[in-house]
Amino acid sequence: AQRVTQPEKLLSVFKGAPVELKCNYSYSGSPELFWYVQYSRQRLQLLLRHISRESIKGFTADLNKGETSFHLKKPFAQEEDSAMYYCALIEAGANNLFFGTGTRLTVIP
Amino acid sequence: DAGVTQSPTHLIKTRGQQVTLRCSPKSGHDTVSWYQQALGQGPQFIFQYYEEEERQRGNFPDRFSGHQFPNYSSELNVNALLLGDSALYLCASSFLTSGGARSYEQYFGPGTRLTVT
């Protein structure tokens, strides 16, 4: 069963415009949710984790248990935000990540 | 610290052959996880090694096996290669905190691109 769904494979926004990358999950317990990012020619790295509730590079993500969503948002997109973004989940008691299929974000100058 | 390193970078094998991929974790990390990333897909968990034992396993056949050495480095072995095994294989490392909890962040290597012809 697909635990993490990212409905958009590609997303393009203009510089300075708001951006939202969607993520929905399917899990009956209390998951840990993450956003990982892969910039061009770099390795996959953690962007943020829902429990920390922090903002990284201007990005935030709120866990909505009612809608089982963990959308990634930024009010003003920058060119350097262009990258591949993966939403990921860890089930309670486990340590392995379940990834979505990813969304490629392109910020148009 | 070079972070997580993987070798080789690229590999081409023929159907039916066997392959071994290698991973060295980030300094201070004791746990290694392996993921398979097919083209256009997100990484899929294969298995995780801690204290030289397989601790968790994803939905992969027994053709996929692994090993962890006393220095925490790890190998992924795939037997009887199929065309469908062509993918990017990622290694990720993490560590056990002093309180016994697993660190949440996994550090990924650059991957090994395996092509099966």
Side-chain angles (χ1 to χ4, degrees):
Chain A
Q2 184 69 31
R3 289 172 174 80
V4 180
T5 303
Q6 293 180 253
E8 304 141 326
K9 272 199 159 327
L10 302 170
L11 183 64
S12 295
V13 300
F14 285 100
K15 178 183 173 181
V19 61
E20 180 180 66
L21 292 96
K22 291 184 168 52
C23 172
N24 288 91
Y25 67 90
S26 172
Y27 179 60
S28 57
S30 296
E32 284 198 59
L33 275 298
F34 305 82
W35 277 97
Y36 274 78
V37 62
Q38 187 166 27
Y39 300 102
S40 180
R41 288 184 289 278
Q42 294 187 28
R43 57 189 67 187
L44 197 58
Q45 59 186 285
L46 179 66
L47 179 62
L48 56 78
R49 176 192 184 204
H50 89 270
I51 285 182
S52 60
R53 300 186 67 81
E54 56 191 343
S55 172
I56 304 293
K57 298 184 179 182
F59 284 98
T60 59
D62 289 320
L63 177 60
N64 186 323
K65 292 187 177 180
E67 296 182 359
T68 60
S69 68
F70 188 56
H71 303 327
L72 183 67
K73 300 177 183 178
K74 185 169 182 176
F76 307 104
Q78 302 299 314
E79 289 179 63
E80 55 266 28
D81 296 329
S82 294
M84 194 73 181
Y85 291 82
Y86 293 96
C87 182
L89 171 155
I90 290 181
E91 296 176 336
N95 191 42
N96 55 294
L97 291 159
F98 289 97
F99 285 90
T101 51
T103 298
R104 180 168 298 283
L105 173 66
T106 302
V107 180
I108 304 165
Chain B
D1 179 18
V4 178
T5 59
Q6 292 186 243
S7 64
T9 306
H10 298 89
L11 203 49
I12 299 175
K13 289 287 188 178
T14 303
R15 205 168 26 175
Q17 286 188 316
Q18 178 264 344
V19 69
T20 298
L21 311 182
R22 294 176 177 82
C23 170
S24 290
K26 183 177 169 65
S27 177
H29 286 190
D30 57 10
T31 301
V32 172
S33 301
W34 287 92
Y35 293 83
Q36 180 196 66
Q37 186 173 20
L39 202 60
Q41 301 297 315
Q44 275 198 294
F45 175 72
I46 303 174
F47 44 52
Q48 183 181 83
Y49 276 83
Y50 170 66
E51 290 187 334
E52 302 179 47
E53 288 189 16
E54 183 184 294
R55 300 293 178 168
Q56 283 184 270
R57 189 178 183 92
N59 189 25
F60 279 81
D62 292 345
R63 298 188 297 109
F64 289 78
S65 63
H67 189 77
Q68 186 179 35
F69 299 93
N71 67 352
Y72 308 120
S73 67
S74 176
E75 287 182 350
L76 163 65
N77 301 293
V78 187
N79 294 322
L81 284 166
L82 303 173
L83 296 179
D85 295 332
S86 296
L88 180 68
Y89 287 85
L90 296 169
C91 170
S93 71
S94 57
F95 64 93
L96 197 62
T97 67
S98 57
R102 177 71 52 205
S103 69
Y104 64 85
E105 182 169 0
Q106 296 197 16
Y107 290 78
F108 283 83
T112 293
R113 173 75 59 190
L114 172 65
T115 302
V116 182
T117 63

